[in-house]
Amino acid sequence: ATRLPFIYFVIHLKNTFLLNWLTIGLCVASYHGTRVMTIAVSMKYPKFAHLMGTLGGLAGYTIVFVSDKDSVIPFVIGTVMVGLSETISSMQIFAKEMYKLDPDRKKAQKRLKYQYSFVMAGQVFAYLIGGVVYDYKKSRRCRSCWYYSSIFWCFSLFLLL
């Protein structure tokens, strides 16, 4: 759920708020900085990082939902908060814990590789469908993304608990 907002972020900053590419680059760097921060926390506290990151992402999307056309600053702050919802590192930690006692190391390694492959396939899907969803309802561009991603994040929170 972090790939779809990234696409919208760049398109929306350019097309709606008419920002220059240097400013967009700084905004994107901030977004990815929060992803890095969540990954760093998840190395030591994966459940905490997953829970707080997902809640932070939902809060960020709520800000985006309210301000997607009105003001660039809340839109950027909300989208940067969405970067907190990066969960790949905590999911890998959960998977390693789940398979560490498995006597068949080859099978465990294979499953971990599959897990990462499925994450990458999801990213490809997000990038492919991103533009379609963005253009689907021109008047509700960021809101469409919010609906789709919020469903996935709520499901993620349910699974974590």
Side-chain angles (χ1 to χ4, degrees):
T2 59
R3 300 307 183 258
L4 206 52
F6 173 70
I7 296 165
Y8 292 138
F9 191 41
V10 173
I11 295 170
H12 211 65
L13 288 173
K14 187 65 177 166
N15 293 346
T16 302
F17 296 116
L18 306 173
L19 296 181
N20 65 48
W21 286 111
L22 176 62
T23 305
I24 292 171
L26 293 171
C27 293
V28 169
S30 299
Y31 168 79
H32 285 291
T34 57
R35 292 179 67 211
V36 170
M37 186 175 65
T38 301
I39 290 168
V41 171
S42 75
M43 289 179 195
K44 184 121 174 125
Y45 307 104
K47 282 188 178 183
F48 175 78
H50 193 100
L51 176 66
M52 296 311 291
T54 301
L55 290 173
L58 281 169
Y61 252 131
T62 302
I63 293 169
V64 168
F65 185 77
V66 173
S67 68
D68 70 331
K69 293 181 182 173
D70 300 330
S71 179
V72 70
I73 292 174
F75 178 78
V76 170
I77 290 169
T79 305
V80 167
M81 288 175 67
V82 170
L84 293 169
S85 64
E86 177 61 44
T87 59
I88 182 69
S89 60
S90 59
M91 294 302 289
Q92 287 177 336
I93 291 168
F94 297 151
K96 284 180 184 177
E97 287 296 314
M98 189 168 70
Y99 293 122
K100 81 177 181 182
L101 299 176
D102 194 329
D104 186 356
R105 286 283 197 214
K106 291 279 186 196
K107 182 173 90 174
Q109 288 174 340
K110 191 175 186 180
R111 286 184 175 172
L112 285 173
K113 288 178 185 175
Y114 283 144
Q115 184 266 345
Y116 190 70
S117 297
F118 282 111
V119 168
M120 293 300 113
Q123 289 179 12
V124 169
F125 177 75
Y127 282 122
L128 289 174
I129 199 167
V132 174
V133 173
Y134 188 84
D135 279 340
Y136 178 65
K137 292 274 188 183
K138 292 192 186 309
S139 63
R140 298 180 174 190
R141 288 181 167 158
C142 288
R143 292 178 181 204
S144 298
C145 180
W146 184 85
Y147 293 130
Y148 290 113
S149 295
S150 294
I151 290 167
F152 288 111
W153 282 337
C154 289
F155 184 67
S156 173
L157 283 173
F158 174 75
L159 292 176
L160 184 64
L161 303 174

